Amino acid sequence: MTVEMVRADNVHKSFGSLEVLKGVDLVVNAGEVCCVLGPSGSGKSTFLRCVNHLEKINAGKIFVDGDLVGYHERGGKLHEMKGKDVARQRRSIGMVFQRFNLFPHMTSLQNVMEAPCRVKKESKAEVRERAASLLERVGLGSKIDAYPGMLSGGQQQRVAIARALAMRPKLMLFDEPTSALDPELVGEVLDVMKDLARDGMTMVVVTHEIGFAREVGDQVVFMDGGVVVEKGSPAEILANPKHERTQAFLSKVL
């Protein structure tokens, strides 16, 4: 049976008078990798931030695993959740940003352990074991005692992925995770993401890495001007786009 992990219904988001999302509809099923493509300013990153309520939407609804994100619905009206309830929802949604945002004064191991210990109040011994295992998984078993300043950008991003996984999320959001990296470091981060996809992690990935979208994506979404212009399988969207805006974009990046 297909389970919807993410559902966005007619999502609108404005910053002042600037309307960034103009009615986004999207469904991502559990276990799927959804790759979101589009030019800068198309609303991709804003949409991703709305999925875990880092940005509040102005209209529409977003559901993660069947739960309305950021709001309670009562009597047909939406009421914003209290901060602690939003924080509880976010625990099951991992997010990896362009910038690694690691704590510079903590080792790789400490960075990965911080949220489960502090937020979930899990036992330190258990979290330490899981954190070490996750760092091993992302190829950094030998760097558990290294501080961020001693690591390359690709290594820091892999620590950031391990940190997000330490919370045992059911959904992972990636906001252009390789765009701040030197080209030769991109592959090591994409390899970790491919490994996650093989393990069945549900992922929404805003990316310019067309090869990754083609190889790993179950669904490719092209956004422009705050709307979803076209969506479908990688073969449909990347090899045979129907919409002229999609064709124009792909002709510049392929």
Side-chain angles (χ1 to χ4, degrees), residues 125-154:
E126 189 187 307
V127 173
R128 180 185 294 276
E129 196 174 308
R130 186 160 85 242
S133 157
L134 284 167
L135 287 167
E136 190 72 48
R137 180 179 177 182
V138 299
L140 293 173
S142 63
K143 301 286 187 185
I144 63 172
D145 295 322
Y147 290 91
M150 301 156 70
L151 302 174
S152 71

Side-chain angles (χ1 to χ4, degrees), residues 2-248:
T2 305
V3 177
E4 289 182 357
M5 183 58 74
V6 179
R7 180 180 193 90
D9 292 333
N10 195 27
V11 171
H12 290 255
K13 171 65 186 174
S14 297
F15 295 100
S17 60
L18 178 66
E19 195 178 11
V20 178
L21 300 178
K22 303 172 183 175
V24 173
D25 294 301
L26 185 64
V27 173
V28 182
N29 291 321
E32 271 191 354
V33 177
C34 173
C35 295
V36 185
L37 311 177
S40 294
S42 58
K44 311 180 302 292
S45 294
T46 298
F47 173 70
L48 207 64
R49 291 171 66 84
C50 290
V51 172
N52 65 356
H53 207 62
L54 284 173
E55 297 291 355
K56 299 173 187 177
I57 61 178
N58 298 105
K61 295 175 185 172
I62 297 176
F63 299 86
V64 170
D65 201 17
D67 294 327
L68 184 60
V69 173
Y71 299 90
H72 297 293
E73 192 165 12
R74 287 194 298 272
K77 287 192 173 167
L78 296 183
H79 302 269
E80 192 166 1
M81 282 181 177
K82 293 192 173 105
K84 66 178 193 312
D85 294 329
V86 174
R88 194 175 297 119
Q89 276 190 332
R90 277 203 199 113
R91 289 180 195 177
S92 60
I93 305 172
M95 182 137 186
V96 177
F97 300 88
Q98 293 179 33
R99 297 283 163 194
F100 327 120
N101 301 326
L102 298 176
F103 295 114
H105 62 289
M106 292 184 180
T107 64
S108 301
L109 188 70
Q110 290 166 337
N111 264 288
V112 176
M113 289 177 63
E114 177 71 1
C117 289
R118 189 178 287 260
V119 178
K120 283 190 166 178
K121 306 286 190 271
E122 291 184 52
S123 106
K124 217 165 209 176
E126 189 187 307
V127 173
R128 180 185 294 276
E129 196 174 308
R130 186 160 85 242
S133 157
L134 284 167
L135 287 167
E136 190 72 48
R137 180 179 177 182
V138 299
L140 293 173
S142 63
K143 301 286 187 185
I144 63 172
D145 295 322
Y147 290 91
M150 301 156 70
L151 302 174
S152 71
Q155 288 170 330
Q156 289 185 60
Q157 191 62 296
R158 285 186 280 154
V159 173
I161 293 172
R163 177 180 60 182
L165 290 172
M167 291 291 279
R168 294 178 168 146
K170 51 190 167 189
L171 168 67
M172 286 284 283
L173 307 175
F174 291 88
D175 186 8
E176 299 194 22
T178 58
S179 66
L181 300 178
D182 291 333
E184 69 270 19
L185 303 177
V186 167
E188 63 191 50
V189 173
L190 293 180
D191 284 344
V192 170
M193 293 169 65
K194 288 174 190 173
D195 186 45
L196 283 180
R198 279 191 289 270
D199 283 355
M201 174 62 77
T202 312
M203 296 156 62
V204 183
V205 185
V206 169
T207 184
H208 292 295
E209 301 292 339
I210 304 295
F212 175 84
R214 184 185 288 117
E215 183 184 343
V216 183
D218 296 292
Q219 178 180 192
V220 172
V221 173
F222 175 69
M223 285 183 69
D224 194 15
V227 298
V228 172
V229 175
E230 201 169 347
K231 57 191 169 190
S233 70
E236 289 168 325
I237 304 301
L238 299 176
N240 192 23
K242 302 278 186 291
H243 201 288
E244 60 187 33
R245 278 150 86 188
T246 319
Q247 293 166 359

